Amino acid sequence: MAISLAGGEDQMPIPQFSAGASSGDVAQALGEAGCAVVTGVMDAELRQSIADELAPHMAKARLIEEDDPTKFYPGHTRRVSALVARSPSITDRLVPHPLSRQVCDTHLRPNCEHGYQLHVSAAVEIGPGAREQVLHREESSFTFFPLPRPNIIVASMWAMTEFRADNGGTLLVPGSHKWPADRKAGPDEILSAEMPAGAVLFWMGGTLHGAGANTSRDWRYGVILTYSLGWVRQEENQYLNVPRERMAELSPELRRLLGFDMYAALGFYDPRVA
Ligand SMILES: O=C(O)CCC(=O)C(=O)O
Ligand SMILES: [Fe+2]
């Protein structure tokens, strides 16, 4: 599929901010465009710590060598989830990042008075030769609720390396979070979220997006953290992906954010057993 960096004449661009921008402005732009990039929010030291913590897991992750066009995950890619179990730096510094909190406070909190939760954690490397991922919406598990519906998910992608149109940078369709479910994106409506290493990209649960094709020689590396309303089931099963001992070490705030808490009457437990 051809992608256009500038987009068609009528296509709104992906809003871009730098680190000092007001998080309220970022959240507002995200609500309007369905996506937004903020540069300079993850320094080289933090990226290195994350890369070091994940390196043994990435090395063991099955590299999907052969592409199967019927599969959601393209070939020549590597994915590792359970990042709370595997990376203290992601757990402590990215999952509860103030910018993510602000964006989720704006776009999720109004629909979940008792709080939102981590929905998915995944590190994704896109290798040379990877094809485009099919465009999709993170909210596709929740189509039971008719449109227009309250926002259920906010997604973020933390750039460990540069994201470019030629190395598998995430493709986005700005504005598509307000489209009817069956409207298809034309080539002029699909933009690549180009961003330097250390940036973060946010998108709404209803925004069409997917990993781009990698026609370069470089690997594109990003950390996906998505958040959902506290009353829906998490896509990644944190109860099984976070070992009990690790969970016990976390602050009450972080435990709540990971979904290890009651949401009103949901998820009750007996502390004498748990
Ligand atoms: O890797 C990317 O750029 C996007 C991946 C994605 O959207 C997904 O796996 O749900
Ligand atoms: Fe996705």
Side-chain angles (χ1 to χ4, degrees):
M1 190 189 310
I3 55 153
S4 125
L5 274 182
E9 264 178 28
D10 300 331
Q11 180 56 7
M12 66 179 103
I14 301 171
Q16 300 266 350
F17 296 89
S18 48
S22 114
S23 44
D25 289 351
V26 174
Q28 188 185 345
L30 172 63
E32 283 162 15
C35 49
V37 165
V38 187
T39 58
V41 283
M42 181 170 56
D43 63 27
E45 200 185 327
L46 177 53
R47 294 201 300 278
Q48 192 59 54
S49 307
I50 294 171
D52 291 346
E53 289 162 5
L54 293 182
H57 307 290
M58 283 314 228
K60 271 190 269 168
R62 195 172 67 89
L63 175 63
I64 310 170
E65 294 281 2
E66 291 305 318
D67 188 49
D68 176 345
T70 64
K71 292 272 159 59
F72 182 63
Y73 297 130
H76 311 284
T77 61
R78 241 191 230 114
R79 294 178 73 93
V80 165
S81 68
L83 302 186
V84 173
R86 293 175 160 149
S87 169
S89 301
I90 290 175
T91 307
D92 296 338
R93 305 206 26 211
L94 297 191
V95 172
H97 194 283
L99 190 52
S100 307
R101 297 299 302 232
Q102 171 71 57
V103 160
C104 291
D105 282 345
T106 302
H107 293 296
L108 296 178
R109 175 69 81 167
N111 306 326
C112 55
E113 58 178 319
H114 300 292
Y116 46 83
Q117 60 191 350
L118 187 69
H119 193 62
V120 170
S121 69
V124 184
E125 281 193 295
I126 308 278
R131 68 162 161 88
E132 255 174 54
Q133 187 181 33
V134 65
L135 292 179
H136 61 279
R137 295 184 159 97
E138 306 299 29
E139 285 182 7
S140 60
S141 299
F142 302 104
T143 47
F144 174 81
F145 298 107
L147 289 169
R149 59 174 167 252
N151 294 313
I152 297 171
I153 292 173
V154 165
S156 62
M157 169 73 88
W158 296 82
M160 296 285 289
T161 60
E162 185 183 19
F163 275 45
R164 300 188 311 266
D166 73 343
N167 78 348
T170 307
L171 302 177
L172 287 150
V173 184
S176 55
H177 60 314
K178 298 180 178 167
W179 287 6
D182 55 355
R183 176 167 162 189
K184 299 271 178 283
D188 273 4
E189 295 174 309
I190 305 168
L191 307 188
S192 175
E194 297 205 296
M195 54 181 176
V200 63
L201 159 70
F202 292 102
W203 68 98
M204 301 292 273
T207 305
L208 280 170
H209 70 283
N214 189 341
T215 57
S216 78
R217 294 169 171 213
D218 310 327
W219 282 77
R220 187 227 76 181
Y221 189 2
V223 171
I224 297 179
L225 298 174
T226 71
Y227 304 82
S228 58
L229 304 181
W231 49 267
V232 302
R233 176 138 199 220
Q234 290 156 296
E235 187 167 326
E236 179 187 7
N237 191 329
Q238 300 295 335
Y239 313 127
L240 295 179
N241 268 0
V242 180
R244 187 63 70 92
E245 316 77 65
R246 177 70 183 122
M247 194 259 283
E249 296 166 356
L250 302 173
S251 68
E253 186 205 358
L254 207 39
R255 258 186 258 166
R256 198 168 311 121
L257 189 53
L258 294 172
F260 291 102
D261 201 0
M262 286 179 64
Y263 183 98
L266 302 177
F268 78 82
Y269 58 94
D270 185 336
R272 291 166 301 184
V273 177

